[in-house]
Amino acid sequence: MLGILSHYNTILISNTETIEEKIRIVSSLGKIVELIGQPVSFVTLQILTTLQTALEIDVLRTAALNSWNLFIRTLLPQDIVPVLSRLVVVVADLHERCTAYQLQLIVGTLEYLLLELGPKLGPDYYELPLLPNVVEFQHINRQIQENRNSHGVLEIICLLLPGVMNENSAVVKQSLHEMIKVLQENCEFLNEHVLEESINSCIPLLIKHLLETCSRFNGSSLDIQLLCAKCLGVLGAVDPGRLEFTRDEERLLVLDNNSSPEDSLSFVCVLIEKQLVPAFRSAPSTKVQDKIALTLQELLKTFGFDSKLISGHLSIGNKDPRKSILQKWQAFPKSVQEVIQPFLESKYGIQEANTGQSKLSSPLYPKRANYKEWIQMWALDLINRLPESIPKKVFALCGRLIKGADANISIVLFILPHIILNVLLAGSEDDQQDLLVEVTTVLTDSSLSDIGAREKREFACQTIFILVDHLTKYMRHRRLSLAKRQVKKSVKVDDSHNVTVIRACKIVEHFLAQIPQDIMAQASYRCKAYERAVMHFEQHMRHQGAIAPGWWSSTIQSDNDAESYKLPSSQNLYSHLQQIYSNIDDPDGMSGIAAMFRNPTIEQQILEHESSGNWSAMQTCFEILLKNDPTNLKHHIGLIRCLKNLGHFETMINHVNGAIVTHPDWKKYLAGYAIEASWRLAHWDDIEHFLQISHEENFEVSLGQLLLAGQKLDVLSFNNTLRKVRASLMAPLAAASMESYQRCYDHIRKLHMLSEIESVFEVQQDPKDVEENAKRLFATWELRLKSTVASFRVREPILNLRRVLLAQMIKGKRRVIDECGKNWLQAAKVARKAGYIQTAFSAIMHAEEMHSGQAHIERAKWHWTNREFRKGISELQSALETSFAVTADDGNPSAANGSMSTLHIRAKTNLLLARWMDEKCMGNPSALQQKYKSVIEDQAEWEKGHYYLGRFYNKLYETEKKNTTSQRALGPSYALFVCKSYAQSLTYGTRFIYNTLPRLLTIWMDLGTTKVKRFMEMNKTVKRLITKLPTYYFLTTFPQIVSRICHPNDSLYTSLERIMIQVMTVYPQHALWHLISVYRSTYKFRSARCSAVFSKVKVILEAMKLTEQLLILCNHQISSRDPSLSMSATFKVLSKMQKLSMIIPLQSNMTVTLPLSSLSHSFESHNPFPNNMPRIEGFRDEIEVMQSLQKPRKITVIGSDGNDYIFLCKPKDDLRKDTRLMEFNSLINKLLKKSAESRKRSLHIRTYAVIPLNEECGLIEWVNNTVGFRNVLVKSYKSKGIYMLPQEAKQVSDRKDLPPAEIFVKHLLPRHPPVFHEWFVETFPEPTRWFASRRAYSTTTAVISMVGHILGLGDRHGENILFDELTGETVHVDFNCLFEKGLTFEKPEKVPFRLTHNMVNAFGVTGVEGVFRNACEATMRVLHLNQELLMTVLETFIYDPLCEWSKRKGGTVSEDRGEVQNEQALRSLNTIKRKLEGWVGQVPYSVEGQVHELINQAMEVQNLSVMYIGWAAFM
């Protein structure tokens, strides 16, 4: 059959054959198919391609449609499914080019497929896109739509995704058309969904597929790229931080002469499955398909795939090498097997290429006009240079597919890194040198001659970046595999193999070392790959010795170099780094660089001012520069940019006009700025004027052209310009998408803006419903803005554009004017929060001009930010006296009737005023109380108002407590008010639940132990609250509730018991894991109370049995020789416990999620946990025994979702301490998320589940993909040959003839230079991930350092600090040393946290300055502001003391009740309270001062030199 098709294809493309002959063979194909029947399905794709070729020829179309119909009716439903989309879309797409008869044939075919066979086609039927919207297809579309009615929006998007990723361009196009429609019709829902705490995975998957499709069709189908662009624009510039992209962490594929047969086979199988088969399916012509078929045939033959082997007719033993081939075949998806099986016996002929081709002279890059021609030529030349080998044979076979105009660039990009690797390892020195010349030629290309040249450079550079990343991964992969071989002592190590691998790594390392890092940085900067530029330039700086100063400098450099960072050359390097950072929205990084300058130049000051938004200062700098050099164009452009950011657009135009008059040759460079200023001012005549002047094309100029077309309502011009602007973004977007979503983000922001222009234009086209459409549009705008990155750099251009669009809409409409005022306030807020004070002030002035109702609030906050506290308060007081003083008698019905908006603004104003006056002590308690109450009067159901009133009462309550010696005399007046206000706040939302509920419960339970008056009234309030609030509210404070289970007040305990029973009833799984350790407590009264709770609910019996068996496992005696145990042999009962209803106690399963405040109607129905929580399906048999002192056991739980979950069963350790710390850290994370400063830095602590089973044993969730700090450093030192054995380090440290500090600095540190930064480069070779991982490392280290200091966390040696190999985050484990326990060691710990030279060096070339210090300060500020809440949470230690405390003196136990009042806990909490108030030793500090002092102490040589040797302060 393949031979017949090949013959037919030759005739079809022949220019000599007659039309009649071609019609005859197309018709005969249908008859042949009908004759053969179902077996013809083995060549389905080949027949489709042949018929598709015929369908494109008008005179053959009727015959082709008849044969197409016969072919479809021959296939079985299961044969149709893999090509269903193609069968439908290809013929449906012909409707505009068909005769009436042909259209009738198409309809008949589609009716058979979709109406008759539809239900038999399974899930793929629902994934079909709708047919084109024509009358003939309407009845079919209705059926498709009806079948989808049961699906939600997100499900429909998921159904359309396979079509977007389809190999056939027609299917992709039709799927994208429908995707756009779905996104537009549901944009409000989707934007709301993106703002939720948990986003459905289909959204990031959709974005990922759109970017991949855009890249895949770059240069081949602009229409598809534009459809992808429209989809991305409708979705909006979603903050990357809100999206979790699944990473394809596949094993690195290697094909070289050192590869094992297994590795080579794996490479070819992936090549076939991921590249060749998709290319075969999407082949645009029979000629291309034949080329791919030939390649597949030869690859299968070369690697031993045989039809007899595949069919199972051969008997194969376990040691037969063909067994792995059979296993690889079986691993192919069925759809792949069906495509390639015919080629096991096909007989395509090979036309041998000219083997005498000579090498081409390097460099090739300048000799080709475009990227595609260059990469084709380069790949083919490199293949030609390879010596004969298996890799060369594979590449040569693929070489046929990368020649000519129809070359598949995707295949080139897949094999090119492997070709280059083989040239390096097997080529001659000349080949390696030519390779280096080619790479450096591309990297040094700085041509800007035209768009084509820029696109060529950008794609070529991106290709080089990918190659460098691949070679870096190769070195890491080979070294890791070598290390594993050497570790496995049971395996005989092949020394010759090791030598070969080491040699290969050295060759690759030498090649990479020859590519100058500064050249890589410059090329990255030109391509706007700024994170990559930072990575390479920092490596360049390290090579130059320009690193941040530190006490270790003198130990690793000569005396002359110790302060090298101060030398002019180093200052220049920091200046270049500052230039790169100025293009990244990273103020912390910029502040770190600024700290490195001694005497900053005016240029350095300009960049610093730009980063901080100090445009006026920046303007002054440029004016000084222009005064000295008025003919410098760059200085003029810099001044114009200042005027633009200050919003002085008129001045900007005047300056451009003046400069052009003086320097007419500057027109081309300055006209674009004038066009931008003109459209921002909506001066349409000026835009037309400047567009006629020669100017450079850029996005801002294109926006001017587009807006001008929209202003004229010129539909044709608007659509053409919009297409042109989107098209201009496609090449850079496709190049950026090769790296990451973050790299694409700026381009996606521009698509976001274009989508909004298009939506306004569409509103203007429908004058009948302008009001209603505008209302919907503005609601969508607000959601879209919230979903973007919350930075000035991203949001300001969007807001500015919207103001211009609003000016275009019908003037005089109140809604439009209000929206414009709201826009100015949003701009003011964004600028203020970014620290751009002058820009914020300008925006406030414009908002006031629009009479925006909340302008006075923003102006007051502006004053407050400037520390003009009295002016801020005065602004609010003035607004209350004027804007809201009108009564009904004044004739203002709106104010008199108290419209919701007016009352809400007044309430906001009063609340802000009350808070500020309270903070600055500018009013007596009575007046402040009345002010807070007025907020409630205006907004009785406002959660925030009740919370702040309660907080004010709590302040009075605490003051009264301090001033009252007798608790009994205190009286519950304020306490009752606190509880009532907090209770009201909880009734209306969950925004402040972690502030209100714990405090309310604490006051209630504390006063319940005293005989204060009117306690019963407070008790009634709590009882009402228990019945009123959703049960999951109490899960947020469940540990606090459980800790007071022994409360002596019977009336109060009844309510506590009711809460526990209620939680146990609604959430039995979660409550049981919390209560099980209490049930098994050694305190009899605690255990009895818990048993009483269990007796009143239906406890899951399997839970009791499970935890009992886990305790047996924990306490099992293990000999020192046992590396592992068998579950089935040693713990038979536990191994037989399968298919349990108990959830796996993962952190993700145990964490309560709260509803969004904006969705208050969903409080009752909200599900606080994931829908599909995995349950315990069983246990793996192997139990690994860890070799630490207590011999914890590593068990693997099989989840009901099919995944494995690892836990550590830890004996002889009171894990309640770890549990409390995890709960405390989880609360810290919530507080950090609420703070704007910490949220924008993504500050958090890594947490994991800790489940105590009793007071001595428990479970710890295993943290996957982590590596120990010590392990990383030891490996690095060993590889460099400088590792110091622990015994040797101890001998040096114990010397008595020298002071500890001198031993540390002169004898230990020189043997341990800083190397930790290298781990980040090796682990995260892709720069965006490198940059993000290093930032994640710096910020998570900062947070745990501050929190650890507050809690007195010690023993932070290198095995208790882990790092996530996927994110770079710091993960701390083993919290046994808490509450200053480290001070009781034989060698007391002197440092507040670990900050050794290796850790500091890995922060970057600025050390502790910048990201780390700012993150520390932001964290400490949050801790200070929330000290009351944090102390409330930690009070559980008082009533549920640790075993180690209970064994000491000072714990008093009430015999009749058993409630503990532990003095050790009280002392520890008092120490924590002092730290939260800013005390370090005996001195109180501000936040900044406290952080500075702690960092100094942590890095102080005198402190580090006296740490115990196991802590390894020298690492």
Side-chain angles (χ1 to χ4, degrees), residues 401-472:
L401 307 179
I402 59 180
K403 294 177 183 176
D406 54 9
N408 190 311
I409 296 301
S410 175
I411 294 174
V412 182
L413 290 174
F414 181 84
I415 65 172
L416 185 60
H418 305 279
I419 297 171
I420 286 176
L421 179 61
N422 278 272
V423 170
L424 286 174
L425 300 183
S428 66
E429 288 187 10
D430 288 343
D431 295 334
Q432 294 171 1
Q433 188 59 36
D434 285 348
L435 187 58
L436 182 64
V437 168
E438 195 71 36
V439 168
T440 52
T441 302
V442 172
L443 294 175
T444 53
D445 176 19
S446 57
S447 60
L448 296 170
S449 54
D450 55 48
I451 294 174
R454 288 199 295 270
E455 284 183 9
K456 174 191 171 188
R457 183 193 68 199
E458 194 157 330
F459 276 100
C461 283
Q462 191 61 51
T463 302
I464 300 301
F465 299 157
I466 291 171
L467 300 179
V468 170
D469 293 348
H470 178 82
L471 293 176
T472 306

Side-chain angles (χ1 to χ4, degrees), residues 1377-1418:
C1377 187
L1378 267 180
F1379 306 119
E1380 312 298 342
K1381 187 178 176 181
L1383 293 174
T1384 66
F1385 291 174
E1386 183 181 348
K1387 279 194 171 185
E1389 294 192 352
K1390 298 290 187 181
V1391 294
F1393 42 81
R1394 188 178 191 97
L1395 199 61
T1396 55
H1397 65 299
N1398 260 300
M1399 295 190 71
V1400 173
N1401 190 260
F1403 292 148
V1405 294
T1406 61
V1408 297
E1409 302 303 331
V1411 176
F1412 178 77
R1413 183 183 293 276
N1414 292 354
C1416 286
E1417 291 175 358

